[in-house]
PDB file of all heavy atoms in Angstrom:
ATOM      1  N   GLN A  28      13.282  -9.203 -13.887  1.00 40.00           N
ATOM      2  CA  GLN A  28      12.311  -9.008 -14.959  1.00 40.00           C
ATOM      3  C   GLN A  28      11.068  -9.828 -14.998  1.00 40.00           C
ATOM      4  O   GLN A  28      10.966 -10.820 -15.568  1.00 40.00           O
ATOM      5  CB  GLN A  28      13.052  -9.259 -16.291  1.00 40.00           C
ATOM      6  CG  GLN A  28      14.112  -8.242 -16.459  1.00 40.00           C
ATOM      7  CD  GLN A  28      13.696  -6.795 -16.541  1.00 40.00           C
ATOM      8  OE1 GLN A  28      12.894  -6.365 -17.351  1.00 40.00           O
ATOM      9  NE2 GLN A  28      14.393  -5.950 -15.787  1.00 40.00           N
ATOM     10  N   ALA A  33       6.967  -3.340 -22.565  1.00 48.00           N
ATOM     11  CA  ALA A  33       6.832  -3.237 -23.980  1.00 48.00           C
ATOM     12  C   ALA A  33       6.221  -1.892 -24.432  1.00 48.00           C
ATOM     13  O   ALA A  33       5.402  -1.384 -23.632  1.00 48.00           O
ATOM     14  CB  ALA A  33       6.200  -4.449 -24.602  1.00 48.00           C
ATOM     15  N   ILE A  40      -1.246  -8.403 -19.345  1.00 45.00           N
ATOM     16  CA  ILE A  40      -2.677  -8.848 -19.306  1.00 45.00           C
ATOM     17  C   ILE A  40      -3.053  -9.177 -17.804  1.00 45.00           C
ATOM     18  O   ILE A  40      -3.807  -8.550 -17.169  1.00 45.00           O
ATOM     19  CB  ILE A  40      -2.979  -9.956 -20.316  1.00 45.00           C
ATOM     20  CG1 ILE A  40      -2.569  -9.637 -21.657  1.00 45.00           C
ATOM     21  CG2 ILE A  40      -4.475 -10.287 -20.169  1.00 45.00           C
ATOM     22  CD1 ILE A  40      -3.057  -8.315 -22.267  1.00 45.00           C
ATOM     23  N   ASN A  43       1.016  -8.854 -12.543  1.00 79.00           N
ATOM     24  CA  ASN A  43       2.278  -9.406 -11.984  1.00 79.00           C
ATOM     25  C   ASN A  43       2.251  -9.055 -10.502  1.00 79.00           C
ATOM     26  O   ASN A  43       2.061  -7.896 -10.143  1.00 79.00           O
ATOM     27  CB  ASN A  43       3.544  -8.972 -12.716  1.00 79.00           C
ATOM     28  CG  ASN A  43       3.438  -9.534 -14.189  1.00 79.00           C
ATOM     29  OD1 ASN A  43       3.921 -10.638 -14.421  1.00 79.00           O
ATOM     30  ND2 ASN A  43       3.005  -8.686 -15.137  1.00 79.00           N
ATOM     31  N   ASP A  55      18.228  -4.192  11.629  1.00 94.00           N
ATOM     32  CA  ASP A  55      19.677  -4.576  11.706  1.00 94.00           C
ATOM     33  C   ASP A  55      20.192  -4.213  13.017  1.00 94.00           C
ATOM     34  O   ASP A  55      21.043  -4.939  13.561  1.00 94.00           O
ATOM     35  CB  ASP A  55      20.292  -3.737  10.581  1.00 94.00           C
ATOM     36  CG  ASP A  55      19.871  -4.037   9.161  1.00 94.00           C
ATOM     37  OD1 ASP A  55      19.587  -5.306   8.946  1.00 94.00           O
ATOM     38  OD2 ASP A  55      19.817  -3.118   8.325  1.00 94.00           O
ATOM     39  N   GLY A  62      22.761 -10.839  18.194  1.00 96.00           N
ATOM     40  CA  GLY A  62      23.517 -11.803  17.459  1.00 96.00           C
ATOM     41  C   GLY A  62      22.632 -12.808  16.742  1.00 96.00           C
ATOM     42  O   GLY A  62      22.970 -14.027  16.647  1.00 96.00           O
ATOM     43  N   ILE A  67      14.904 -11.172   9.088  1.00 93.00           N
ATOM     44  CA  ILE A  67      13.776 -11.379   8.228  1.00 93.00           C
ATOM     45  C   ILE A  67      12.884 -10.008   8.225  1.00 93.00           C
ATOM     46  O   ILE A  67      12.259  -9.787   9.218  1.00 93.00           O
ATOM     47  CB  ILE A  67      12.857 -12.508   8.642  1.00 93.00           C
ATOM     48  CG1 ILE A  67      13.664 -13.813   8.603  1.00 93.00           C
ATOM     49  CG2 ILE A  67      11.749 -12.690   7.571  1.00 93.00           C
ATOM     50  CD1 ILE A  67      12.913 -14.951   9.083  1.00 93.00           C
ATOM     51  N   VAL A  80      -7.285   2.739 -19.902  1.00 72.00           N
ATOM     52  CA  VAL A  80      -7.541   3.688 -21.018  1.00 72.00           C
ATOM     53  C   VAL A  80      -8.862   4.284 -20.750  1.00 72.00           C
ATOM     54  O   VAL A  80      -9.704   3.883 -19.843  1.00 72.00           O
ATOM     55  CB  VAL A  80      -7.423   3.121 -22.390  1.00 72.00           C
ATOM     56  CG1 VAL A  80      -6.168   2.647 -22.647  1.00 72.00           C
ATOM     57  CG2 VAL A  80      -8.495   1.912 -22.450  1.00 72.00           C
ATOM     58  N   GLY A  86     -15.463  -1.335 -20.304  1.00 59.00           N
ATOM     59  CA  GLY A  86     -15.006  -2.437 -21.073  1.00 59.00           C
ATOM     60  C   GLY A  86     -13.993  -2.145 -22.233  1.00 59.00           C
ATOM     61  O   GLY A  86     -13.513  -2.927 -22.841  1.00 59.00           O
ATOM     62  N   SER A  95     -11.218  -5.365 -12.046  1.00 73.00           N
ATOM     63  CA  SER A  95     -11.328  -6.464 -11.078  1.00 73.00           C
ATOM     64  C   SER A  95     -10.069  -6.774 -10.334  1.00 73.00           C
ATOM     65  O   SER A  95     -10.074  -7.073  -9.177  1.00 73.00           O
ATOM     66  CB  SER A  95     -11.899  -7.766 -11.700  1.00 73.00           C
ATOM     67  OG  SER A  95     -10.850  -8.390 -12.505  1.00 73.00           O
ATOM     68  N   ILE A 115       8.399   6.847 -27.267  1.00 82.00           N
ATOM     69  CA  ILE A 115       7.515   6.115 -26.558  1.00 82.00           C
ATOM     70  C   ILE A 115       6.139   6.808 -26.547  1.00 82.00           C
ATOM     71  O   ILE A 115       6.065   7.785 -26.350  1.00 82.00           O
ATOM     72  CB  ILE A 115       7.915   6.029 -24.981  1.00 82.00           C
ATOM     73  CG1 ILE A 115       9.249   5.376 -24.746  1.00 82.00           C
ATOM     74  CG2 ILE A 115       6.834   5.243 -24.181  1.00 82.00           C
ATOM     75  CD1 ILE A 115       9.745   5.383 -23.340  1.00 82.00           C
ATOM     76  N   LEU A 125      -1.611  15.460 -15.033  1.00 96.00           N
ATOM     77  CA  LEU A 125      -2.835  15.809 -14.338  1.00 96.00           C
ATOM     78  C   LEU A 125      -4.008  15.174 -15.124  1.00 96.00           C
ATOM     79  O   LEU A 125      -4.988  14.742 -14.528  1.00 96.00           O
ATOM     80  CB  LEU A 125      -2.940  17.181 -14.099  1.00 96.00           C
ATOM     81  CG  LEU A 125      -1.888  17.842 -13.015  1.00 96.00           C
ATOM     82  CD1 LEU A 125      -2.059  19.280 -12.973  1.00 96.00           C
ATOM     83  CD2 LEU A 125      -2.280  17.206 -11.732  1.00 96.00           C
ATOM     84  N   ARG A 147     -27.470  -1.070  -4.743  1.00 95.00           N
ATOM     85  CA  ARG A 147     -28.676  -0.434  -4.177  1.00 95.00           C
ATOM     86  C   ARG A 147     -29.895  -1.121  -4.600  1.00 95.00           C
ATOM     87  O   ARG A 147     -30.733  -1.325  -3.852  1.00 95.00           O
ATOM     88  CB  ARG A 147     -28.563   1.059  -4.598  1.00 95.00           C
ATOM     89  CG  ARG A 147     -29.884   1.900  -4.141  1.00 95.00           C
ATOM     90  CD  ARG A 147     -30.024   3.108  -4.871  1.00 95.00           C
ATOM     91  NE  ARG A 147     -30.194   2.865  -6.379  1.00 95.00           N
ATOM     92  CZ  ARG A 147     -30.117   3.818  -7.374  1.00 95.00           C
ATOM     93  NH1 ARG A 147     -29.791   4.978  -6.968  1.00 95.00           N
ATOM     94  NH2 ARG A 147     -30.127   3.426  -8.578  1.00 95.00           N
ATOM     95  N   LEU A 173     -23.567   7.334  -2.606  1.00 96.00           N
ATOM     96  CA  LEU A 173     -23.832   7.569  -4.021  1.00 96.00           C
ATOM     97  C   LEU A 173     -23.895   8.988  -4.498  1.00 96.00           C
ATOM     98  O   LEU A 173     -23.449   9.330  -5.521  1.00 96.00           O
ATOM     99  CB  LEU A 173     -25.307   6.994  -4.317  1.00 96.00           C
ATOM    100  CG  LEU A 173     -25.247   5.627  -4.952  1.00 96.00           C
ATOM    101  CD1 LEU A 173     -26.657   4.973  -4.960  1.00 96.00           C
ATOM    102  CD2 LEU A 173     -24.665   5.567  -6.369  1.00 96.00           C
ATOM    103  N   ALA A 193     -17.102   1.965   8.938  1.00 89.00           N
ATOM    104  CA  ALA A 193     -15.864   1.867   8.182  1.00 89.00           C
ATOM    105  C   ALA A 193     -15.635   0.450   7.593  1.00 89.00           C
ATOM    106  O   ALA A 193     -15.257   0.204   6.466  1.00 89.00           O
ATOM    107  CB  ALA A 193     -14.703   2.231   9.026  1.00 89.00           C
ATOM    108  N   SER A 204     -12.502   4.115  -2.717  1.00 93.00           N
ATOM    109  CA  SER A 204     -12.379   4.163  -1.256  1.00 93.00           C
ATOM    110  C   SER A 204     -11.165   3.793  -0.797  1.00 93.00           C
ATOM    111  O   SER A 204     -10.652   4.039   0.374  1.00 93.00           O
ATOM    112  CB  SER A 204     -13.449   3.306  -0.579  1.00 93.00           C
ATOM    113  OG  SER A 204     -13.129   1.974  -0.773  1.00 93.00           O
ATOM    114  N   TYR A 209       0.372   9.100  -5.456  1.00 96.00           N
ATOM    115  CA  TYR A 209       0.797   9.524  -6.866  1.00 96.00           C
ATOM    116  C   TYR A 209       2.303   9.326  -7.062  1.00 96.00           C
ATOM    117  O   TYR A 209       3.028   9.779  -6.393  1.00 96.00           O
ATOM    118  CB  TYR A 209       0.318  10.897  -7.134  1.00 96.00           C
ATOM    119  CG  TYR A 209      -1.158  11.126  -7.078  1.00 96.00           C
ATOM    120  CD1 TYR A 209      -1.846  11.247  -5.965  1.00 96.00           C
ATOM    121  CD2 TYR A 209      -1.901  11.260  -8.400  1.00 96.00           C
ATOM    122  CE1 TYR A 209      -3.267  11.303  -5.930  1.00 96.00           C
ATOM    123  CE2 TYR A 209      -3.251  11.430  -8.246  1.00 96.00           C
ATOM    124  CZ  TYR A 209      -3.937  11.436  -7.101  1.00 96.00           C
ATOM    125  OH  TYR A 209      -5.373  11.717  -7.082  1.00 96.00           O
ATOM    126  N   GLU A 214      12.288  11.985 -16.183  1.00 93.00           N
ATOM    127  CA  GLU A 214      13.498  11.599 -16.814  1.00 93.00           C
ATOM    128  C   GLU A 214      14.623  11.495 -15.934  1.00 93.00           C
ATOM    129  O   GLU A 214      14.469  12.082 -14.825  1.00 93.00           O
ATOM    130  CB  GLU A 214      13.761  12.564 -18.035  1.00 93.00           C
ATOM    131  CG  GLU A 214      14.166  13.934 -17.642  1.00 93.00           C
ATOM    132  CD  GLU A 214      12.972  14.848 -17.329  1.00 93.00           C
ATOM    133  OE1 GLU A 214      11.800  14.328 -17.248  1.00 93.00           O
ATOM    134  OE2 GLU A 214      13.279  16.025 -16.971  1.00 93.00           O
ATOM    135  N   ALA A 218      15.511  13.143 -11.662  1.00 91.00           N
ATOM    136  CA  ALA A 218      15.258  12.188 -10.579  1.00 91.00           C
ATOM    137  C   ALA A 218      15.403  12.736  -9.083  1.00 91.00           C
ATOM    138  O   ALA A 218      14.626  12.442  -8.272  1.00 91.00           O
ATOM    139  CB  ALA A 218      16.168  11.010 -10.681  1.00 91.00           C
ATOM    140  N   GLN A 230       1.674  20.404  -6.658  1.00 96.00           N
ATOM    141  CA  GLN A 230       0.806  21.610  -6.338  1.00 96.00           C
ATOM    142  C   GLN A 230      -0.645  21.222  -6.439  1.00 96.00           C
ATOM    143  O   GLN A 230      -1.340  21.801  -5.601  1.00 96.00           O
ATOM    144  CB  GLN A 230       1.152  22.694  -7.368  1.00 96.00           C
ATOM    145  CG  GLN A 230       2.536  23.368  -7.155  1.00 96.00           C
ATOM    146  CD  GLN A 230       2.933  24.222  -8.295  1.00 96.00           C
ATOM    147  OE1 GLN A 230       2.169  24.470  -9.223  1.00 96.00           O
ATOM    148  NE2 GLN A 230       4.143  24.755  -8.298  1.00 96.00           N
ATOM    149  N   LYS A 233      -3.248  17.665  -2.881  1.00 90.00           N
ATOM    150  CA  LYS A 233      -3.018  17.953  -1.500  1.00 90.00           C
ATOM    151  C   LYS A 233      -3.496  16.945  -0.462  1.00 90.00           C
ATOM    152  O   LYS A 233      -3.187  17.081   0.645  1.00 90.00           O
ATOM    153  CB  LYS A 233      -3.869  19.267  -1.174  1.00 90.00           C
ATOM    154  CG  LYS A 233      -3.411  20.513  -2.081  1.00 90.00           C
ATOM    155  CD  LYS A 233      -1.987  20.908  -1.890  1.00 90.00           C
ATOM    156  CE  LYS A 233      -1.663  22.061  -2.772  1.00 90.00           C
ATOM    157  NZ  LYS A 233      -0.201  22.407  -2.712  1.00 90.00           N
ATOM    158  N   ALA A 235      -3.013  13.414  -0.775  1.00 93.00           N
ATOM    159  CA  ALA A 235      -2.413  12.142  -0.959  1.00 93.00           C
ATOM    160  C   ALA A 235      -0.838  12.405  -1.229  1.00 93.00           C
ATOM    161  O   ALA A 235      -0.417  13.469  -1.686  1.00 93.00           O
ATOM    162  CB  ALA A 235      -2.914  11.389  -1.992  1.00 93.00           C
ATOM    163  N   GLU A 245      15.993   3.622 -11.739  1.00 88.00           N
ATOM    164  CA  GLU A 245      15.730   2.532 -10.691  1.00 88.00           C
ATOM    165  C   GLU A 245      16.033   1.239 -11.412  1.00 88.00           C
ATOM    166  O   GLU A 245      16.571   0.291 -10.800  1.00 88.00           O
ATOM    167  CB  GLU A 245      14.258   2.518 -10.196  1.00 88.00           C
ATOM    168  CG  GLU A 245      13.876   3.859  -9.490  1.00 88.00           C
ATOM    169  CD  GLU A 245      14.671   4.170  -8.216  1.00 88.00           C
ATOM    170  OE1 GLU A 245      15.119   3.201  -7.563  1.00 88.00           O
ATOM    171  OE2 GLU A 245      14.877   5.384  -7.914  1.00 88.00           O
ATOM    172  N   LEU A 263      23.918  11.290  -8.216  1.00 88.00           N
ATOM    173  CA  LEU A 263      22.763  11.964  -8.791  1.00 88.00           C
ATOM    174  C   LEU A 263      22.224  13.044  -7.734  1.00 88.00           C
ATOM    175  O   LEU A 263      21.236  13.571  -8.037  1.00 88.00           O
ATOM    176  CB  LEU A 263      21.709  10.914  -8.939  1.00 88.00           C
ATOM    177  CG  LEU A 263      21.999   9.923 -10.056  1.00 88.00           C
ATOM    178  CD1 LEU A 263      21.024   8.649  -9.880  1.00 88.00           C
ATOM    179  CD2 LEU A 263      21.895  10.460 -11.324  1.00 88.00           C
ATOM    180  N   LEU A 281      -0.823   2.631   4.056  1.00 88.00           N
ATOM    181  CA  LEU A 281      -1.749   1.574   4.527  1.00 88.00           C
ATOM    182  C   LEU A 281      -1.966   1.560   5.998  1.00 88.00           C
ATOM    183  O   LEU A 281      -2.579   0.678   6.668  1.00 88.00           O
ATOM    184  CB  LEU A 281      -1.235   0.208   4.113  1.00 88.00           C
ATOM    185  CG  LEU A 281      -1.235  -0.188   2.617  1.00 88.00           C
ATOM    186  CD1 LEU A 281      -0.323  -1.402   2.272  1.00 88.00           C
ATOM    187  CD2 LEU A 281      -2.620  -0.347   2.143  1.00 88.00           C
ATOM    188  N   THR A 298       4.300  -6.978  10.326  1.00 92.00           N
ATOM    189  CA  THR A 298       3.506  -5.878   9.990  1.00 92.00           C
ATOM    190  C   THR A 298       2.079  -6.080  10.488  1.00 92.00           C
ATOM    191  O   THR A 298       1.537  -7.099  10.510  1.00 92.00           O
ATOM    192  CB  THR A 298       3.375  -5.784   8.489  1.00 92.00           C
ATOM    193  OG1 THR A 298       4.728  -5.527   7.853  1.00 92.00           O
ATOM    194  CG2 THR A 298       2.459  -4.666   8.054  1.00 92.00           C
ATOM    195  N   PHE A 365       1.663 -17.398  25.821  1.00 92.00           N
ATOM    196  CA  PHE A 365       0.398 -17.829  25.451  1.00 92.00           C
ATOM    197  C   PHE A 365       0.065 -19.391  25.948  1.00 92.00           C
ATOM    198  O   PHE A 365       1.073 -20.057  26.247  1.00 92.00           O
ATOM    199  CB  PHE A 365       0.165 -17.771  23.951  1.00 92.00           C
ATOM    200  CG  PHE A 365       1.109 -18.829  23.180  1.00 92.00           C
ATOM    201  CD1 PHE A 365       0.623 -19.985  22.660  1.00 92.00           C
ATOM    202  CD2 PHE A 365       2.416 -18.422  22.858  1.00 92.00           C
ATOM    203  CE1 PHE A 365       1.356 -20.803  21.891  1.00 92.00           C
ATOM    204  CE2 PHE A 365       3.239 -19.196  22.139  1.00 92.00           C
ATOM    205  CZ  PHE A 365       2.694 -20.482  21.722  1.00 92.00           C
TER     206      PHE A 365
END
Side-chain angles (χ1 to χ4, degrees):
Q28 297 297 308
I40 307 300
N43 292 278
D55 295 324
I67 305 175
V80 293
S95 70
I115 302 177
L125 287 175
R147 178 195 59 192
L173 265 171
S204 67
Y209 293 79
E214 70 278 4
Q230 290 171 3
K233 301 301 181 185
E245 302 298 329
L263 296 169
L281 289 169
T298 299
F365 66 99

